[in-house]
Amino acid sequence: MTKIFNLFDFSQKVNYKTEVLAGLTVALALIPEAVAFALIAGLSPLTGLYAAFVMGLITSIFGGRPGMISGATGAVAVVIVGLSLTYGPEYIFATVILAGIIQVLAGVLRLGKLIRLVPHSVIFGFLNGLAIIIFMSQLNQFKTINTAGELEWMTGTPLYILLGLVFTTMLIIWGLPKFTKVFPSSLAAILVVFGVVLGLGIDTKTVGDIASIKGGFPPFHIPMVPFTWETLTIIFPFAAIMAGVGLIESLLTLNIIDEITETRGSGNKECVAQGTANMLSGLFSGMGGCAMIGQSLINVSSGARARLSGIVAAVMLLIFIMFGADIIEKLPMAALTGVMIMVAVGTFEWASLKTFRRMPNSDVFVMVMVTLITIFLHNLALAVLVGVIISALVFAWDNAKRIRARKRVDEAGVKHYEIYGPLFFGSVQAFNDKFDILTDPDEVVIDFSESRIVDMSGIEAVNKLTERYLKQGKKLHLRHLSSDCRTLLNNADALIEVNILEDPTYKVAVDKV
């Protein structure tokens, strides 16, 4: 019971000032992101803000990674925009709840460990693509609506003012930590630029120019959709994709924060927390979401390491919505744009550019491919899936070429084949090519002490080989073969001679007992 209810590690030393200030910084950075993603999804701004509050609060308390921030994200917005435009927000709320249920099941079934299958080249590509997306999304702040209602690039004084404020923000974020780390540089930059704009009366784009963030406490609301099979067939595909995208982005973010903080989070616990947060988000008029790598990096770079910062960020966001909208809407977008550009700079894996000549060509190809898919399709789940598949195929191909056979004939005229390398579906053909059944002597020994039969394809290859030798009237011995494999060789009972004492004890993943 202690482990179940021990949500907070009270033995951890917490710098309360740092946690609170980091949470305040994140809350300010969450506002334009949540509003923008809600508009992308064809929903009201408050739908995104409510999702950011619920997702941030629940995952901060129950999540598997202290210091990680969740909220409404662009990846989720892209998934649900089609459903939103066709069926409306009620179906979105139902979809978010169903996606949450799927994510909770993934955590209960302990599928979070599958994130270990994602290689570093995929993570590099994911980060680089995400950094470019974050940077490109900030370019919209340098556009304005003309008299025809179309977006066009700013020119003249408004552009110079915006550029000056953005560069001032970036300079403070870059320079302040060189003098002191007592105060988060991102929050300091926002406050300084805010003060300059208010003090000098500078006319520039503000949060209020995007949309009003004024609202009340998120209202509890059961989605008003027909509880029928037809409704399920409509929302399930979107819910499944949303659950997959959310978990992939959240677990990758968890891994990245793990590396930065040199600690380890719990993937399965995070799956359950993400699912619970999405379920509650759908019930409290939110669009759902997942972990936000940009805000998580802001939080961690501000010095936050505990759950308190995420809780503060969520609570402060709700306070801004309910009581501080008038002030927050005056916040210059230039300050928040500068913060996000610096996040993009920090997210990009610059070291990966130096490894192009050192990394295998396959890893470089995977990294570039994942980056391009992330940038052009904005589909993070697809990018990661493609990267993992390509990496797995390359790995299988490389291992297929590693199987070797050393051949010798002993004094008794018995021919020995000593196999090296794994025997699996990819190496079966190379394995079969090692044997010259017609010219081999009447007695042959295959030694598997330096090899391993990995899958059913390997077992079947050995089984077929015994049949081929049997047809030629020759006797075949298989040494150092696992007992699990022996029980699966249909025709080998009279042909196999096994050294029981030296047999390995590894198991083969098969259904037959």
Side-chain angles (χ1 to χ4, degrees):
M1 296 299 289
T2 303
K3 291 184 178 179
I4 294 176
F5 291 103
N6 185 20
L7 302 177
F8 299 93
D9 183 7
F10 293 104
S11 64
Q12 179 185 10
K13 293 183 179 180
V14 178
N15 187 326
Y16 291 96
K17 183 185 72 173
T18 299
E19 296 290 322
V20 171
L21 292 177
L24 179 59
T25 308
V26 170
L28 293 173
L30 276 171
I31 293 171
E33 295 285 301
V35 170
F37 295 144
L39 294 177
I40 289 174
L43 301 168
S44 68
L46 283 176
T47 305
L49 292 169
Y50 288 154
F53 163 68
V54 175
M55 295 292 302
L57 182 64
I58 299 300
T59 56
S60 293
I61 297 175
F62 298 100
R65 171 68 266 173
M68 195 165 77
I69 304 297
S70 296
T73 60
V76 170
V78 172
V79 171
I80 63 176
V81 60
L83 181 65
S84 173
L85 297 176
T86 306
Y87 293 96
E90 295 297 331
Y91 278 79
I92 294 298
F93 299 147
T95 300
V96 171
I97 294 173
L98 181 57
I101 294 173
I102 295 173
Q103 290 177 329
V104 169
L105 290 175
V108 172
L109 296 175
R110 306 185 70 80
L111 300 181
K113 60 186 177 183
L114 295 179
I115 199 65
R116 300 173 190 170
L117 298 177
V118 180
H120 260 318
S121 57
V122 175
I123 294 178
F124 282 167
F126 168 81
L127 286 175
N128 293 346
L130 200 58
I132 294 172
I133 287 177
I134 292 174
F135 175 78
M136 291 175 64
S137 67
Q138 302 310 307
L139 297 181
N140 289 329
Q141 304 304 327
F142 296 90
K143 296 180 180 179
T144 185
I145 300 177
N146 59 21
T147 55
E150 300 174 345
L151 280 176
E152 64 178 11
W153 292 102
M154 288 182 175
T155 57
T157 303
L159 176 61
Y160 300 142
I161 292 174
L162 184 60
L163 285 173
L165 294 174
V166 169
F167 283 128
T168 300
T169 304
M170 296 172 64
L171 184 62
I172 294 173
I173 295 174
W174 173 78
L176 185 61
K178 299 181 182 298
F179 297 98
T180 178
K181 293 184 179 180
V182 175
F183 199 82
S185 58
S186 297
L187 181 57
I190 292 173
L191 294 178
V192 168
V193 173
F194 194 10
V196 170
V197 170
L198 287 182
L200 301 179
I202 298 174
D203 183 19
T204 185
K205 186 187 295 186
T206 64
V207 172
D209 293 331
I210 300 176
S212 174
I213 67 167
K214 191 172 185 179
F217 190 85
F220 179 80
H221 175 71
I222 297 176
M224 297 178 64
V225 298
F227 290 89
T228 62
W229 178 257
E230 182 182 359
T231 301
L232 183 61
T233 58
I234 293 172
I235 67 174
F236 182 79
F238 292 94
I241 296 173
M242 178 182 171
V245 168
L247 288 183
I248 289 174
E249 187 165 354
S250 298
L251 294 175
L252 282 179
T253 303
L254 183 146
N255 276 2
I256 293 164
I257 302 302
D258 279 355
E259 291 183 8
I260 294 174
T261 60
E262 296 182 351
T263 56
R264 184 171 181 178
S266 171
N268 295 315
K269 190 175 181 180
E270 187 62 32
C271 290
V272 174
Q274 289 288 335
T276 304
N278 271 310
M279 291 166 61
L280 291 176
S281 177
L283 291 172
F284 283 90
S285 307
M287 62 176 281
C290 59
M292 308 180 74
I293 187 169
Q295 277 66 22
S296 298
L297 290 174
I298 291 175
N299 192 42
V300 172
S301 63
S302 298
R305 293 293 183 273
R307 298 182 183 272
L308 181 60
S309 57
I311 297 173
V312 169
V315 172
M316 290 304 300
L317 179 61
L318 182 62
I319 292 174
F320 293 154
I321 295 171
M322 297 177 66
F323 308 109
D326 293 337
I327 297 176
I328 299 302
E329 287 175 6
K330 296 178 182 178
L331 198 68
M333 284 302 303
L336 300 176
T337 299
V339 171
M340 294 310 297
I341 290 177
M342 291 302 289
V343 168
V345 172
T347 302
F348 195 91
E349 285 285 347
W350 300 99
S352 65
L353 300 179
K354 300 178 182 179
T355 60
F356 266 45
R357 295 182 179 179
R358 302 175 185 175
M359 293 172 63
N361 291 333
S362 58
D363 284 345
V364 173
F365 175 75
V366 168
M367 183 172 66
V368 173
M369 181 64 69
V370 172
T371 299
L372 293 177
I373 294 176
T374 303
I375 294 171
F376 291 106
L377 298 183
H378 287 214
N379 192 329
L380 304 179
L382 177 63
V384 172
L385 183 61
V386 169
V388 171
I389 291 175
I390 295 175
S391 299
L393 292 175
V394 170
F395 174 80
W397 176 258
D398 288 343
N399 277 272
K401 297 184 296 183
R402 291 178 182 173
I403 194 163
R404 298 285 187 273
R406 185 167 60 188
K407 307 171 186 178
R408 64 181 177 87
V409 179
D410 62 17
E411 300 83 358
V414 177
K415 189 171 184 178
H416 294 257
Y417 288 89
E418 297 175 357
I419 307 299
Y420 298 84
L423 178 57
F424 67 110
F425 68 91
S427 60
V428 165
Q429 185 61 49
F431 172 77
N432 289 329
D433 293 341
K434 305 296 180 186
F435 301 93
D436 191 354
I437 299 175
L438 296 178
T439 60
D440 277 349
D442 291 337
E443 194 167 358
V444 175
V445 174
I446 303 179
D447 191 336
F448 284 92
S449 60
E450 298 294 332
S451 180
R452 174 169 178 166
I453 299 178
V454 177
D455 59 6
M456 288 299 297
S457 296
I459 292 174
E460 185 61 21
V462 174
N463 190 35
K464 294 294 184 183
L465 190 63
T466 62
E467 293 179 352
R468 292 166 62 191
Y469 274 103
L470 178 61
K471 289 179 180 178
Q472 298 297 322
K474 299 178 180 181
K475 193 172 184 180
L476 177 67
H477 306 282
L478 304 180
R479 292 188 183 276
H480 302 147
L481 190 67
S482 165
S483 59
D484 297 319
C485 296
R486 281 188 292 123
T487 59
L488 296 174
L489 294 174
N490 299 325
N491 299 320
D493 293 340
L495 303 172
I496 299 176
E497 178 185 73
V498 181
N499 188 330
I500 300 295
L501 295 177
E502 295 182 302
D503 263 356
T505 58
Y506 64 80
K507 303 296 181 181
V508 177
V510 294
D511 294 329
K512 186 175 178 180
V513 179

